[in-house]
Amino acid sequence: MADFDAPSDACNPGAGLFAECLVHDWEHRIQAAVDFHELEQARVELLGKNGLLTLELKKLGNLSIDERRSVGARLNCIRESFEGLFQQKKQQLDELELNERLKQEALDVTLPTRPITTGKRHLLTRISDQLSSYFCSRGFLVTSGPEVDSEFNCFDGLNMPSHHPARQEQDTLYLKNHEQMLLRVHTSTMQIRTFSTKGIPVRGISTGAVFRNDAVDATHTPLFHQIEGFVAEPGITMAHMKYCLLDLLSFLFNVDLCAMAKRGDAIPVRFRPSFFPFTEPSSEVDCCCSRVNGELKLDMGGTWMEILGCGMIHPNVFKNCGAETFEDGTPAQGFAFGIGVERIAMLKYGVTDIRHFYDGDIRWLNHYG
Ligand code: PHE
């Protein structure tokens, strides 16, 4: 706001009824008013009915005509300046009051920003990705297929007859109103899909979710993840399967099982005869594990834990896919295996409850991711 203008020469002809020093005092008093009350009080005292300047103006009548003209002009000039000054000061106080009110009424709609977190890949994703790149570097095709699949891809094609217990509703989740469609119970469906679309020879893996009609507890959830591997090439024997799986377990658990086997040392891995309709012979693989300072160790001093299922692919599986022979006419042959991803993660990282994988607890995810 502009300062109060000093009276011009016309307003200031020297000594008069309203002395110059008095003008300055009043200017100062008006400028120093801190609120409307103080300002109004000053106005009444100066320009009110009995105000100082009003009384001076009333005295003009006692003066001679000449004096009246010059003093009158000066006093009116002073009065106009004071009126202007009161007006300016009032605007200033109005503005101050408005600003004060805005400050008090202001609503802070901002929130302090949260520290930026980049997130981490889920432990299951990390293990699946690690295994995918491991197999990729060994010439395996990385395939993926649907979670809802047909009874043929899940059971019949895999040599699982209709009376097989896995086909009962208490084990398998079927789709309502879609007969013969179900949530796949294993990733072995990808053997059927790959052999029948790509033919043989082929070597591939597939990772993904599988579903079982299980009640939830510390070791069971209706959804979990598997990695399926399959190799169909001429001349493939069980020895190849064994080497492939020992190398895989060496990678997973940071040991060199193949070197141990070559040296003739006892290896903490055993191939236990088992049965799967789609492999013959079939086997389950156990590892002898112990935990030292929270770290998993594969050594003969631990306990035997089942890790995966495997076997030589049953000829009926190839037949069901229209892939009975290789190009040179020799019969189709190969091996397959299936691993539970949660099981590996639980073993490797000492997770004791499978439900933790699906809780979505950010602290858990950050720790294990
Ligand atoms: N599909 C089997 C299961 O879910 C695992 C398996 C895969 C076994 C391939 C043998 C060969 O348990």
Side-chain angles (χ1 to χ4, degrees), residues 159-178:
N159 200 34
M160 285 170 92
S162 53
H163 59 264
H164 194 280
R167 298 185 63 154
Q168 312 283 295
E169 280 192 24
Q170 76 238 29
D171 287 313
T172 299
L173 296 156
Y174 285 87
L175 262 65
K176 257 191 194 162
N177 310 327
H178 287 278

PDB file of all heavy atoms in Angstrom, residues 159-178:
ATOM      1  N   ASN A 159      -2.480 -91.493 -19.539  1.00  0.00           N
ATOM      2  CA  ASN A 159      -2.620 -92.905 -19.171  1.00  0.00           C
ATOM      3  C   ASN A 159      -3.254 -93.086 -17.793  1.00  0.00           C
ATOM      4  O   ASN A 159      -2.943 -94.055 -17.104  1.00  0.00           O
ATOM      5  CB  ASN A 159      -1.233 -93.574 -19.228  1.00  0.00           C
ATOM      6  CG  ASN A 159      -1.291 -95.088 -19.336  1.00  0.00           C
ATOM      7  OD1 ASN A 159      -2.218 -95.619 -19.966  1.00  0.00           O
ATOM      8  ND2 ASN A 159      -0.350 -95.772 -18.716  1.00  0.00           N
ATOM      9  N   MET A 160      -4.084 -92.126 -17.390  1.00  0.00           N
ATOM     10  CA  MET A 160      -4.785 -92.258 -16.107  1.00  0.00           C
ATOM     11  C   MET A 160      -6.210 -92.667 -16.389  1.00  0.00           C
ATOM     12  O   MET A 160      -7.020 -91.846 -16.837  1.00  0.00           O
ATOM     13  CB  MET A 160      -4.759 -90.937 -15.326  1.00  0.00           C
ATOM     14  CG  MET A 160      -3.411 -90.638 -14.708  1.00  0.00           C
ATOM     15  SD  MET A 160      -3.344 -88.974 -14.045  1.00  0.00           S
ATOM     16  CE  MET A 160      -3.859 -89.257 -12.378  1.00  0.00           C
ATOM     17  N   PRO A 161      -6.538 -93.927 -16.180  1.00  0.00           N
ATOM     18  CA  PRO A 161      -7.882 -94.426 -16.538  1.00  0.00           C
ATOM     19  C   PRO A 161      -8.980 -93.755 -15.710  1.00  0.00           C
ATOM     20  O   PRO A 161      -8.702 -93.149 -14.676  1.00  0.00           O
ATOM     21  CB  PRO A 161      -7.785 -95.927 -16.222  1.00  0.00           C
ATOM     22  CG  PRO A 161      -6.659 -96.037 -15.242  1.00  0.00           C
ATOM     23  CD  PRO A 161      -5.716 -94.913 -15.500  1.00  0.00           C
ATOM     24  N   SER A 162     -10.210 -93.901 -16.158  1.00  0.00           N
ATOM     25  CA  SER A 162     -11.323 -93.179 -15.510  1.00  0.00           C
ATOM     26  C   SER A 162     -11.549 -93.614 -14.074  1.00  0.00           C
ATOM     27  O   SER A 162     -12.162 -92.878 -13.304  1.00  0.00           O
ATOM     28  CB  SER A 162     -12.602 -93.321 -16.332  1.00  0.00           C
ATOM     29  OG  SER A 162     -12.818 -94.687 -16.568  1.00  0.00           O
ATOM     30  N   HIS A 163     -11.070 -94.785 -13.697  1.00  0.00           N
ATOM     31  CA  HIS A 163     -11.284 -95.215 -12.312  1.00  0.00           C
ATOM     32  C   HIS A 163     -10.156 -94.744 -11.387  1.00  0.00           C
ATOM     33  O   HIS A 163     -10.147 -95.035 -10.206  1.00  0.00           O
ATOM     34  CB  HIS A 163     -11.413 -96.747 -12.226  1.00  0.00           C
ATOM     35  CG  HIS A 163     -10.188 -97.454 -12.749  1.00  0.00           C
ATOM     36  ND1 HIS A 163     -10.112 -97.935 -14.039  1.00  0.00           N
ATOM     37  CD2 HIS A 163      -9.000 -97.723 -12.166  1.00  0.00           C
ATOM     38  CE1 HIS A 163      -8.914 -98.492 -14.225  1.00  0.00           C
ATOM     39  NE2 HIS A 163      -8.219 -98.374 -13.097  1.00  0.00           N
ATOM     40  N   HIS A 164      -9.211 -93.953 -11.950  1.00  0.00           N
ATOM     41  CA  HIS A 164      -8.088 -93.494 -11.101  1.00  0.00           C
ATOM     42  C   HIS A 164      -8.612 -92.566  -9.995  1.00  0.00           C
ATOM     43  O   HIS A 164      -9.435 -91.688 -10.266  1.00  0.00           O
ATOM     44  CB  HIS A 164      -7.063 -92.752 -11.965  1.00  0.00           C
ATOM     45  CG  HIS A 164      -5.754 -92.547 -11.267  1.00  0.00           C
ATOM     46  ND1 HIS A 164      -5.580 -91.542 -10.353  1.00  0.00           N
ATOM     47  CD2 HIS A 164      -4.583 -93.232 -11.331  1.00  0.00           C
ATOM     48  CE1 HIS A 164      -4.337 -91.612  -9.885  1.00  0.00           C
ATOM     49  NE2 HIS A 164      -3.710 -92.638 -10.468  1.00  0.00           N
ATOM     50  N   PRO A 165      -8.144 -92.767  -8.755  1.00  0.00           N
ATOM     51  CA  PRO A 165      -8.698 -91.966  -7.641  1.00  0.00           C
ATOM     52  C   PRO A 165      -8.547 -90.446  -7.830  1.00  0.00           C
ATOM     53  O   PRO A 165      -9.392 -89.677  -7.371  1.00  0.00           O
ATOM     54  CB  PRO A 165      -7.899 -92.441  -6.418  1.00  0.00           C
ATOM     55  CG  PRO A 165      -6.850 -93.366  -6.917  1.00  0.00           C
ATOM     56  CD  PRO A 165      -7.192 -93.784  -8.302  1.00  0.00           C
ATOM     57  N   ALA A 166      -7.494 -90.012  -8.532  1.00  0.00           N
ATOM     58  CA  ALA A 166      -7.295 -88.560  -8.725  1.00  0.00           C
ATOM     59  C   ALA A 166      -8.449 -87.955  -9.506  1.00  0.00           C
ATOM     60  O   ALA A 166      -8.664 -86.752  -9.475  1.00  0.00           O
ATOM     61  CB  ALA A 166      -5.986 -88.304  -9.450  1.00  0.00           C
ATOM     62  N   ARG A 167      -9.213 -88.822 -10.233  1.00  0.00           N
ATOM     63  CA  ARG A 167     -10.285 -88.282 -11.066  1.00  0.00           C
ATOM     64  C   ARG A 167     -11.579 -88.096 -10.282  1.00  0.00           C
ATOM     65  O   ARG A 167     -12.552 -87.586 -10.817  1.00  0.00           O
ATOM     66  CB  ARG A 167     -10.498 -89.194 -12.278  1.00  0.00           C
ATOM     67  CG  ARG A 167      -9.251 -89.233 -13.129  1.00  0.00           C
ATOM     68  CD  ARG A 167      -9.413 -90.015 -14.391  1.00  0.00           C
ATOM     69  NE  ARG A 167     -10.406 -89.441 -15.288  1.00  0.00           N
ATOM     70  CZ  ARG A 167     -10.396 -89.614 -16.596  1.00  0.00           C
ATOM     71  NH1 ARG A 167      -9.415 -90.316 -17.159  1.00  0.00           N
ATOM     72  NH2 ARG A 167     -11.330 -89.111 -17.342  1.00  0.00           N
ATOM     73  N   GLN A 168     -11.571 -88.526  -9.014  1.00  0.00           N
ATOM     74  CA  GLN A 168     -12.765 -88.339  -8.174  1.00  0.00           C
ATOM     75  C   GLN A 168     -12.894 -86.854  -7.799  1.00  0.00           C
ATOM     76  O   GLN A 168     -11.891 -86.147  -7.689  1.00  0.00           O
ATOM     77  CB  GLN A 168     -12.635 -89.147  -6.869  1.00  0.00           C
ATOM     78  CG  GLN A 168     -12.202 -90.573  -7.055  1.00  0.00           C
ATOM     79  CD  GLN A 168     -13.344 -91.443  -7.544  1.00  0.00           C
ATOM     80  OE1 GLN A 168     -14.300 -91.619  -6.818  1.00  0.00           O
ATOM     81  NE2 GLN A 168     -13.231 -91.965  -8.753  1.00  0.00           N
ATOM     82  N   GLU A 169     -14.148 -86.469  -7.575  1.00  0.00           N
ATOM     83  CA  GLU A 169     -14.380 -85.055  -7.243  1.00  0.00           C
ATOM     84  C   GLU A 169     -13.750 -84.626  -5.933  1.00  0.00           C
ATOM     85  O   GLU A 169     -13.488 -83.451  -5.715  1.00  0.00           O
ATOM     86  CB  GLU A 169     -15.879 -84.757  -7.241  1.00  0.00           C
ATOM     87  CG  GLU A 169     -16.394 -84.552  -8.648  1.00  0.00           C
ATOM     88  CD  GLU A 169     -17.781 -83.976  -8.686  1.00  0.00           C
ATOM     89  OE1 GLU A 169     -18.171 -83.324  -7.711  1.00  0.00           O
ATOM     90  OE2 GLU A 169     -18.458 -84.196  -9.704  1.00  0.00           O
ATOM     91  N   GLN A 170     -13.516 -85.590  -5.031  1.00  0.00           N
ATOM     92  CA  GLN A 170     -12.931 -85.172  -3.751  1.00  0.00           C
ATOM     93  C   GLN A 170     -11.470 -84.757  -3.900  1.00  0.00           C
ATOM     94  O   GLN A 170     -10.901 -84.140  -3.011  1.00  0.00           O
ATOM     95  CB  GLN A 170     -13.078 -86.258  -2.665  1.00  0.00           C
ATOM     96  CG  GLN A 170     -12.158 -87.425  -2.780  1.00  0.00           C
ATOM     97  CD  GLN A 170     -12.948 -88.730  -2.895  1.00  0.00           C
ATOM     98  OE1 GLN A 170     -14.061 -88.739  -3.402  1.00  0.00           O
ATOM     99  NE2 GLN A 170     -12.380 -89.810  -2.412  1.00  0.00           N
ATOM    100  N   ASP A 171     -10.857 -85.092  -5.046  1.00  0.00           N
ATOM    101  CA  ASP A 171      -9.464 -84.682  -5.263  1.00  0.00           C
ATOM    102  C   ASP A 171      -9.334 -83.565  -6.290  1.00  0.00           C
ATOM    103  O   ASP A 171      -8.375 -82.798  -6.259  1.00  0.00           O
ATOM    104  CB  ASP A 171      -8.645 -85.884  -5.757  1.00  0.00           C
ATOM    105  CG  ASP A 171      -8.404 -86.879  -4.642  1.00  0.00           C
ATOM    106  OD1 ASP A 171      -8.016 -86.431  -3.547  1.00  0.00           O
ATOM    107  OD2 ASP A 171      -8.625 -88.073  -4.855  1.00  0.00           O
ATOM    108  N   THR A 172     -10.284 -83.515  -7.216  1.00  0.00           N
ATOM    109  CA  THR A 172     -10.126 -82.618  -8.368  1.00  0.00           C
ATOM    110  C   THR A 172     -11.269 -81.616  -8.427  1.00  0.00           C
ATOM    111  O   THR A 172     -12.405 -81.960  -8.117  1.00  0.00           O
ATOM    112  CB  THR A 172     -10.121 -83.475  -9.660  1.00  0.00           C
ATOM    113  OG1 THR A 172      -9.010 -84.367  -9.565  1.00  0.00           O
ATOM    114  CG2 THR A 172      -9.965 -82.625 -10.897  1.00  0.00           C
ATOM    115  N   LEU A 173     -10.921 -80.384  -8.802  1.00  0.00           N
ATOM    116  CA  LEU A 173     -11.946 -79.334  -8.906  1.00  0.00           C
ATOM    117  C   LEU A 173     -12.432 -79.253 -10.356  1.00  0.00           C
ATOM    118  O   LEU A 173     -11.700 -78.786 -11.234  1.00  0.00           O
ATOM    119  CB  LEU A 173     -11.341 -77.998  -8.446  1.00  0.00           C
ATOM    120  CG  LEU A 173     -10.936 -77.994  -6.964  1.00  0.00           C
ATOM    121  CD1 LEU A 173      -9.856 -76.952  -6.693  1.00  0.00           C
ATOM    122  CD2 LEU A 173     -12.140 -77.742  -6.069  1.00  0.00           C
ATOM    123  N   TYR A 174     -13.644 -79.737 -10.580  1.00  0.00           N
ATOM    124  CA  TYR A 174     -14.234 -79.700 -11.925  1.00  0.00           C
ATOM    125  C   TYR A 174     -14.997 -78.395 -12.127  1.00  0.00           C
ATOM    126  O   TYR A 174     -15.442 -77.781 -11.148  1.00  0.00           O
ATOM    127  CB  TYR A 174     -15.186 -80.879 -12.118  1.00  0.00           C
ATOM    128  CG  TYR A 174     -14.441 -82.197 -12.315  1.00  0.00           C
ATOM    129  CD1 TYR A 174     -14.046 -82.956 -11.219  1.00  0.00           C
ATOM    130  CD2 TYR A 174     -14.105 -82.638 -13.587  1.00  0.00           C
ATOM    131  CE1 TYR A 174     -13.332 -84.140 -11.385  1.00  0.00           C
ATOM    132  CE2 TYR A 174     -13.404 -83.822 -13.766  1.00  0.00           C
ATOM    133  CZ  TYR A 174     -13.022 -84.563 -12.662  1.00  0.00           C
ATOM    134  OH  TYR A 174     -12.315 -85.717 -12.838  1.00  0.00           O
ATOM    135  N   LEU A 175     -15.163 -78.013 -13.408  1.00  0.00           N
ATOM    136  CA  LEU A 175     -15.927 -76.795 -13.677  1.00  0.00           C
ATOM    137  C   LEU A 175     -17.406 -77.130 -13.763  1.00  0.00           C
ATOM    138  O   LEU A 175     -17.781 -78.086 -14.441  1.00  0.00           O
ATOM    139  CB  LEU A 175     -15.469 -76.176 -15.004  1.00  0.00           C
ATOM    140  CG  LEU A 175     -14.477 -75.035 -14.865  1.00  0.00           C
ATOM    141  CD1 LEU A 175     -13.181 -75.531 -14.279  1.00  0.00           C
ATOM    142  CD2 LEU A 175     -14.252 -74.360 -16.202  1.00  0.00           C
ATOM    143  N   LYS A 176     -18.226 -76.345 -13.061  1.00  0.00           N
ATOM    144  CA  LYS A 176     -19.674 -76.545 -13.121  1.00  0.00           C
ATOM    145  C   LYS A 176     -20.137 -76.258 -14.541  1.00  0.00           C
ATOM    146  O   LYS A 176     -19.664 -75.327 -15.175  1.00  0.00           O
ATOM    147  CB  LYS A 176     -20.365 -75.564 -12.161  1.00  0.00           C
ATOM    148  CG  LYS A 176     -20.820 -76.199 -10.876  1.00  0.00           C
ATOM    149  CD  LYS A 176     -21.708 -75.208 -10.142  1.00  0.00           C
ATOM    150  CE  LYS A 176     -21.867 -75.698  -8.712  1.00  0.00           C
ATOM    151  NZ  LYS A 176     -22.318 -74.634  -7.841  1.00  0.00           N
ATOM    152  N   ASN A 177     -21.074 -77.041 -15.047  1.00  0.00           N
ATOM    153  CA  ASN A 177     -21.685 -76.835 -16.369  1.00  0.00           C
ATOM    154  C   ASN A 177     -20.691 -77.001 -17.525  1.00  0.00           C
ATOM    155  O   ASN A 177     -21.005 -76.623 -18.651  1.00  0.00           O
ATOM    156  CB  ASN A 177     -22.353 -75.446 -16.489  1.00  0.00           C
ATOM    157  CG  ASN A 177     -23.280 -75.167 -15.333  1.00  0.00           C
ATOM    158  OD1 ASN A 177     -23.903 -76.097 -14.810  1.00  0.00           O
ATOM    159  ND2 ASN A 177     -23.365 -73.918 -14.915  1.00  0.00           N
ATOM    160  N   HIS A 178     -19.473 -77.430 -17.223  1.00  0.00           N
ATOM    161  CA  HIS A 178     -18.524 -77.687 -18.323  1.00  0.00           C
ATOM    162  C   HIS A 178     -17.930 -79.060 -18.112  1.00  0.00           C
ATOM    163  O   HIS A 178     -16.852 -79.204 -17.541  1.00  0.00           O
ATOM    164  CB  HIS A 178     -17.408 -76.637 -18.365  1.00  0.00           C
ATOM    165  CG  HIS A 178     -17.867 -75.322 -18.859  1.00  0.00           C
ATOM    166  ND1 HIS A 178     -17.987 -75.027 -20.198  1.00  0.00           N
ATOM    167  CD2 HIS A 178     -18.271 -74.214 -18.208  1.00  0.00           C
ATOM    168  CE1 HIS A 178     -18.436 -73.794 -20.342  1.00  0.00           C
ATOM    169  NE2 HIS A 178     -18.615 -73.279 -19.134  1.00  0.00           N
TER     170      HIS A 178
END
